[in-house]
Amino acid sequence: MVFALKHSGGVQRALSILTVVAYVTLPLGSESFEQLLVPTLLVGLAYGALAVFGFPFAQRRGRAFAAAYVLVQLPLGFVLFALSGAAVGAVLLLVVLVAQAVLLLPLPAAAAVAAVIPLIHVEMEWPDGLREGLGTLAVTAFTVVITELLVREQRARAELAVANERLRGYAAQAEQLAITQERNRVARDIHDGLGHHLTVVQMLLQAARAVIGTAEPDRLDAMLAKAQDQSKQALAEVRRSVAALREPRPEPLVDALRALASEVSEAGVPTDVEVRGSARATRAEVEESLFRAAQEGLTNVRKHADATAATVVLDYGRVDLVRLEVRDDGRGLGDDPGGGFGLVGLEERVTGLGGRVSVDSAAGRGVTLTVEVPA
């Protein structure tokens, strides 16, 4: 019923126009019309008024009013047909009722109305009555089919409009999700890359200040040069993250880890790289995630562990998996391991690849960060 109210406005207007046209044509095709002119026009006016104004009222009121409307109009149409002397206009008004029945009632009930209307010819001689009845039945059946097809087409359009609206909503949600994911990715890159380089710079500057008053100018110059180089790399990381570029790392992962370990060693924490199994090429996003994991782990070693040594283990022992460990001999996480964006971002990155992250620690025995990613 809600569908009828929303999507049959054009059909209502068309049926109202057809009702008016049929009423005007009542005098046509009848030899006895002039004998009952006033009664015919009055009954036709009542029928037409109900067709124009009663039909939308019945639509708004529900199925019971719809059935009542049809039960009133059907006998009224029979009376009008008889008064008009079987006028063509009376038949057209009954055809309008068939179309309205399709819009108001279930299809079987509308088909029953269409089957009853040909009985208006029962008073004619049987050969003529049969011929006229079959012709009227063909017209009413055709009206039922056409109106039902129109209703289904409008219903399909309405459902398509609803589906399109839902798709627009889903597209907006997907766009927002993609924006959020990209923001998180850029945030992880800034933290993992820029945070690492700035930590190295900080430690180098601290070491430089410790020797600035000594007679070791060469050592001081080397530290400042290294800090300058780290600053350049930090700037490159910022540009890369802001531009949201995912360029593959130019050097192999093992070489990148050894370069990273060298930076950490120069910053004061001797770091080794151990490769287990035969190193092999993996997906760019896998290598990026493993490098970022090592970067995050070693950054935490320098900042928090008070370690004297660290080890990065890259394990290719399994065909379907690459495993990375960052171990140190520092003070461990203690009773309050705390948290930070680095580990959260690392878990997001690795989980997105179907991998997992774990942290093992005991007071006084250091920390082991383990990352496993499907190859």
Side-chain angles (χ1 to χ4, degrees), residues 31 52 99 199 293 367:
E31 298 179 356
V52 173
T199 299
V367 175

Side-chain angles (χ1 to χ4, degrees), residues 267-302:
V269 182
T271 303
D272 294 326
V273 175
E274 178 184 342
V275 179
R276 297 175 182 173
S278 299
R280 60 181 184 272
T282 56
R283 293 175 293 161
E285 57 268 26
V286 171
E287 294 196 355
E288 179 72 14
S289 295
L290 293 173
F291 177 82
R292 293 301 188 185
Q295 200 173 49
E296 172 64 19
L298 293 176
T299 298
N300 288 333
V301 168
R302 292 193 305 272

Side-chain angles (χ1 to χ4, degrees), residues 135-156:
T136 302
L137 180 62
V139 172
T140 56
F142 180 78
T143 302
V144 169
V145 172
I146 293 299
T147 306
E148 178 64 18
L149 289 177
L150 178 61
V151 168
R152 292 186 179 184
E153 187 268 343
Q154 289 186 334
R155 184 181 294 115

Side-chain angles (χ1 to χ4, degrees), residues 45-107:
L45 183 62
Y47 186 96
L50 283 174
V52 173
F53 302 107
F55 170 63
F57 177 81
Q59 279 188 307
R60 291 192 298 269
R61 293 293 181 170
R63 190 60 56 81
F65 280 85
Y69 169 81
V70 173
L71 291 177
V72 170
Q73 285 289 81
L74 190 59
L76 193 60
F78 273 63
V79 171
L80 180 61
F81 180 82
L83 291 175
S84 66
V88 174
V91 177
L92 289 176
L93 288 173
L94 288 170
V95 170
V96 170
L97 179 61
V98 173
Q100 291 176 337
V102 174
L103 296 174
L104 292 173
L105 304 175
L107 186 59

Side-chain angles (χ1 to χ4, degrees), residues 228-246:
Q228 183 180 13
D229 180 65
Q230 288 291 320
S231 298
K232 291 180 180 179
Q233 293 186 44
L235 181 59
E237 286 283 355
V238 170
R239 289 173 176 169
R240 179 170 178 259
S241 297
V242 171
L245 296 177
R246 277 201 178 277

